[in-house]
Amino acid sequence: MSKQKKSRIGYKILSGLLIGLCVVSLGSVIGLYSNTLIKIWIPIAGAAFIAVASGFFMWRIWKGLTGSNKKWINRSCHIAVVTAILPGIFYTLNFVFSDHASLEYKTVKVARKFYKTRHKTKRISRRVYGQGEAYKQYYMEVSFPSGQNTELSVPFKQYRQLKVGMELSLPVETGLFHIPVIKRRGKVIDVPESHYRP
């Protein structure tokens, strides 16, 4: 196998890895942003700023992947990939490496409760997938004393017990980057019996 052919295979593998990282990063953002007490546009804007600034001197490393010597093509590729990957890294590290010793329960108020209709993926043939059976995912929007709101998924049993205006205690820890995170896994969040009528 020639050196040039090996190089092309290497670039294809690297391209696949970068695409995979972008997908994983997007999944991390989707999975963690509602449990991270920061407006989502802030880390995305920060990532975009870093991507644009670094693109002015790092565009050359993309020549092999794009097969082009044009600055605007390589800079665009750099900006797109870095902007996609950095928020996922931010959310993941901040959440996973939070300070467990900082755990405290914050009192929040249920602002609203709602559900979204989703659809399962149905396999039609070997390579064809379509929309399958519909199902519901249940959510509550809670308001912190600071005025910040966030949407959290809840099981149906808890959803039925929730009432708009009732207060709950949520476990919150300080994240690696000092951004608070809600750590519900492994912790029971009791929904109190309430006679409140919205």
Side-chain angles (χ1 to χ4, degrees):
M1 186 181 294
S2 67
K3 187 176 180 180
Q4 188 176 8
K5 193 171 183 180
K6 286 181 179 179
S7 180
R8 283 200 301 268
I9 293 173
Y11 281 128
K12 285 182 180 179
I13 294 172
L14 182 57
S15 297
L17 288 173
L18 286 174
I19 292 172
L21 278 173
C22 290
V23 172
V24 170
S25 175
L26 178 61
S28 297
V29 173
I30 292 172
L32 297 175
Y33 85 92
S34 63
N35 289 295
T36 305
L37 301 182
I38 186 174
K39 295 186 183 299
I40 192 170
W41 67 265
I42 295 176
I44 292 176
F49 176 80
I50 294 171
V52 171
S54 60
F56 282 101
F57 57 88
M58 295 185 68
W59 64 272
R60 293 178 182 83
I61 66 174
W62 297 90
K63 288 181 180 180
L65 287 175
T66 63
S68 173
N69 288 319
K70 294 182 178 179
K71 288 183 180 180
W72 72 270
I73 292 178
N74 293 300
R75 279 179 182 165
S76 298
C77 185
H78 175 82
I79 291 170
V81 172
V82 173
T83 302
I85 291 176
L86 285 185
I89 294 173
F90 167 81
Y91 277 102
T92 301
L93 293 180
N94 186 70
F95 187 86
V96 172
F97 296 103
S98 62
D99 180 10
H100 302 312
S102 69
L103 173 67
E104 60 177 326
Y105 282 79
K106 299 282 189 181
T107 300
V108 299
K109 186 172 287 188
V110 178
R112 67 183 177 119
K113 49 185 282 191
F114 60 100
Y115 64 84
K116 297 178 182 179
T117 301
R118 310 288 192 188
H119 290 85
K120 296 179 180 179
T121 301
K122 180 174 64 176
R123 187 172 184 176
I124 299 173
S125 63
R126 185 176 179 182
R127 296 184 181 180
V128 180
Y129 291 83
Q131 184 172 285
E133 183 182 352
Y135 66 97
K136 294 177 180 177
Q137 283 189 325
Y138 299 90
Y139 297 86
M140 64 177 176
E141 181 181 339
V142 296
S143 177
F144 283 80
S146 62
Q148 184 172 352
N149 284 25
T150 190
E151 296 177 1
L152 301 170
S153 61
V154 292
F156 178 64
K157 182 180 179 180
Q158 189 180 65
Y159 177 84
R160 290 180 60 189
Q161 296 174 301
L162 292 171
K163 289 182 174 62
V164 174
M166 73 165 31
E167 292 185 342
L168 303 174
S169 292
L170 292 181
V172 176
E173 295 180 3
T174 302
L176 179 64
F177 303 117
H178 299 283
I179 305 299
V181 292
I182 300 169
K183 286 292 187 83
R184 294 184 293 163
R185 180 167 294 180
K187 299 178 179 68
V188 176
I189 301 174
D190 293 322
V191 177
E193 292 294 330
S194 174
H195 300 292
Y196 179 86
R197 292 293 181 271

